[in-house]
Amino acid sequence: MFMKNTFKKAALATAVGAMSLGVVSQVVADDYVVDTEGQHAFVQFNISHLGFSQLLGNFETFAGSFHYDPENLEASSVEMEVQVNSLNSNHAERDRHILSDDFLAADEHPTATFVSTSFEPSGENEGVLIGDLTLKGETREIEMPVTLIGHGEDPWGNYRAGFEGSTTLVLEDFGIDLSAFPEVMHELELYVTLEGVRQ
């Protein structure tokens, strides 16, 4: 499914801090870097076009990391950073307009970030990720329901874990003025799926 519960635009940060050798076996084993090199992660959005259709797009350049410990789910965390100029809605002229000062002002605000502040398990392999999303220079707390897709060893000896989540963003909260457009366009759904490689 494209856009699972609620999450819409956006973006997110870099790597987890270095660990001392004395705790590598316990801590680093649960730290993952998002696999963007293998293109096993996506930051996508879905917004109505005037109430007539759905406009889909994605951000193609981003980096991130997450901490996942099945024995201590409350300690889970995510950091992501998205390059706003990497937006692609499959229409170059529209992309230039979205990136202009009319909407995202990408020249002035080239990155969007997400840094989680807590995680609340809500069921088997599910929970709510809470954190700060910064877009167009505005920071707002958001909640994103997430689901564990799976984890385990891959055919090449790496250990991987993958999650998906979505949330709804009110664009006005991030300084994006759509007052001249139908109300159905004032919100956007952001869908994120992340596959990470354990470090």
Side-chain angles (χ1 to χ4, degrees):
M1 88 184 246
F2 187 94
M3 306 290 159
K4 198 169 172 188
N5 291 313
T6 48
F7 185 17
K8 291 185 173 181
K9 254 182 183 179
L12 313 144
T14 46
V16 181
M19 307 289 176
S20 67
L21 292 178
V23 295
V24 165
S25 62
Q26 176 61 36
V27 180
V28 175
D30 299 319
D31 293 329
Y32 296 75
V33 170
V34 174
D35 183 14
T36 55
E37 182 177 350
Q39 196 56 44
H40 295 126
F42 298 88
V43 177
Q44 302 173 316
F45 61 88
N46 178 13
I47 187 170
S48 174
H49 178 247
L50 303 173
F52 301 131
S53 64
Q54 295 301 118
L55 189 156
L56 309 179
N58 65 292
F59 293 91
E60 298 182 342
T61 304
F62 54 90
S65 60
F66 59 86
H67 178 85
Y68 168 65
D69 181 355
E71 302 302 319
N72 185 17
L73 292 175
E74 289 82 357
S76 301
S77 62
V78 177
E79 294 188 9
M80 292 287 294
E81 180 175 278
V82 174
Q83 301 303 312
V84 176
N85 272 318
S86 70
L87 178 144
N88 181 4
S89 71
N90 204 33
H91 190 280
E93 184 176 348
R94 175 173 57 218
D95 292 348
R96 284 192 293 271
H97 190 204
I98 295 173
L99 294 170
S100 74
D101 290 346
D102 287 347
F103 299 107
L104 293 181
D107 287 343
E108 184 178 356
H109 305 287
T111 60
T113 62
F114 175 77
V115 179
S116 67
T117 55
S118 63
F119 179 76
E120 300 177 356
S122 59
E124 185 176 1
N125 297 329
E126 295 183 343
V128 178
L129 193 64
I130 300 167
D132 295 326
L133 173 65
T134 300
L135 176 67
K136 199 181 177 183
E138 301 285 344
T139 301
R140 297 287 183 270
E141 183 179 83
I142 65 168
E143 296 185 2
M144 186 194 311
V146 297
T147 301
L148 171 68
I149 299 173
H151 64 95
E153 287 194 10
D154 66 20
W156 307 279
N158 300 307
Y159 198 92
R160 294 174 178 264
F163 299 83
E164 66 175 349
S166 64
T167 194
T168 299
L169 303 181
V170 177
L171 298 180
E172 185 179 10
D173 290 345
F174 298 92
I176 301 171
D177 182 11
L178 291 172
S179 58
F181 295 88
E183 187 173 350
V184 69
M185 295 182 65
H186 294 185
E187 294 183 344
L188 169 148
E189 186 177 13
L190 180 66
Y191 170 75
V192 178
T193 180
L194 303 176
E195 181 179 310
V197 179
R198 190 169 69 184
Q199 301 302 288

